Amino acid sequence: MAIWFITLTLLFSSLTAATNSDFFEYISPNSLGLQKEKLLHLHFFLHDNTSGPKPTAVQIAEAQTTNTSSTFFGFLAIADDPLTVAADPGSKVVGKGQGLYGFSDQNEVAVVMLFNFVFTEGKFNGSTLNLLGRNLIFNQERELAIVGGTGVFKFSRGYADLKTYSLDNKTGNAVVEYNIYAFQYY
Ligand SMILES: *[C@@H]1O[C@H](CO)[C@@H](O)[C@H](O)[C@H]1NC(C)=O
Ligand SMILES: *[C@@H]1O[C@H](CO)[C@@H](O)[C@H](O)[C@H]1NC(C)=O
Ligand SMILES: *[C@@H]1O[C@H](CO)[C@@H](O)[C@H](O)[C@H]1NC(C)=O
Ligand SMILES: *[C@@H]1O[C@H](CO)[C@@H](O)[C@H](O)[C@H]1NC(C)=O
């Protein structure tokens, strides 16, 4: 019994020691295939339709008080918006903008956006860029942060410049022009 206890104790402490020393290490960027950074400019149009026969964004929640708020405070939507090369919704699709946006300001119309851009074209196919920021949707131009990515966008960061191309106040359907400037590793 005592021998088993000692054996188990030794085994456990040696496992603990091994785990501790394996917990982290410093590696070279090359070991992940990261060589140099280039500044990438992406240009596309995002189509966010909240109405019509096939909406690309749907409301998923709201607060009890949202219907009396002049800024839609508490309205939460989820989107799967096509990204196209031109403002025409029939132009070539290069990816999707998928994420959440919620009206998060009680004094002006501003949304918090958490979006993944998943691209479907060429060397970007399957890679994602992650956007997070505050979007004053009625301003002509605004900036949101690009906080990371996957695939060819691993370790990416930068910003997105958004301009409203068209906004139908009746339906809520919008086309937004995106210029993204982000570092990309090769
Ligand atoms: C969005 O709705 C408009 C009509 O308001 C339509 O012309 C357009 O094709 C729709 N876009 C998408 C991506 O469904
Ligand atoms: C707002 O919605 C609540 C339910 O969430 C409802 O009880 C209330 O009557 C609505 N108010 C108006 C002005 O529509
Ligand atoms: C993108 O990748 C998917 C799955 O890996 C593949 O089915 C599709 O054909 C690719 N598209 C392009 C344009 O390369
Ligand atoms: C849409 O509504 C916003 C906020 O009320 C306003 O600033 C904007 O001018 C309106 N746009 C059009 C085209 O009416």
Side-chain angles (χ1 to χ4, degrees):
M1 190 93 164
I3 288 170
W4 275 114
F5 180 73
I6 291 164
T7 312
L8 279 173
T9 307
L10 285 175
L11 189 64
F12 183 72
S13 53
S14 66
L15 276 178
T16 308
T19 306
N20 281 346
S21 64
D22 288 345
F23 178 58
F24 63 85
E25 59 177 332
Y26 292 101
I27 60 175
S28 76
N30 271 335
S31 66
L32 287 182
L34 306 172
Q35 279 154 30
K36 62 178 176 187
E37 259 183 337
K38 284 190 183 173
L39 186 57
L40 174 74
H41 173 208
L42 290 164
H43 179 236
F44 54 79
F45 292 81
L46 174 144
H47 302 260
D48 188 78
N49 277 6
T50 52
S51 62
K54 277 191 78 184
T56 64
V58 290
Q59 180 183 354
I60 54 168
E62 70 177 18
Q64 293 255 315
T65 50
T66 297
N67 56 8
T68 56
S69 163
S70 60
T71 59
F72 315 108
F73 183 60
F75 180 108
L76 187 61
I78 198 152
D80 183 15
D81 294 337
L83 311 175
T84 60
V85 293
D88 176 356
S91 63
K92 187 182 173 70
V93 174
V94 294
K96 296 289 208 71
Q98 301 176 334
L100 289 164
Y101 59 83
F103 288 77
S104 53
D105 194 308
Q106 302 189 67
N107 298 312
E108 50 188 342
V109 181
V111 302
V112 55
M113 271 181 87
L114 294 87
F115 260 55
N116 297 318
F117 294 113
V118 50
F119 295 94
T120 47
E121 269 309 297
K123 66 176 174 180
F124 302 128
N125 191 10
S127 293
T128 65
L129 269 180
N130 315 124
L131 171 140
L132 174 67
R134 177 172 189 256
N135 185 354
L136 284 156
I137 56 174
F138 289 136
N139 281 12
Q140 189 45 42
E141 196 162 357
R142 53 272 180 197
E143 267 177 24
L144 283 83
I146 295 293
V147 295
T150 63
V152 300
F153 297 121
K154 280 187 195 76
F155 296 100
S156 278
R157 72 224 177 275
Y159 73 98
D161 177 279
L162 278 61
K163 287 192 199 88
T164 302
Y165 177 83
S166 66
L167 170 64
D168 183 333
N169 273 3
K170 256 198 229 115
T171 60
N173 292 351
V175 178
V176 182
E177 182 176 10
Y178 275 72
N179 278 287
I180 291 181
Y181 303 92
F183 285 109
Q184 188 197 349
Y185 276 97
Y186 285 82

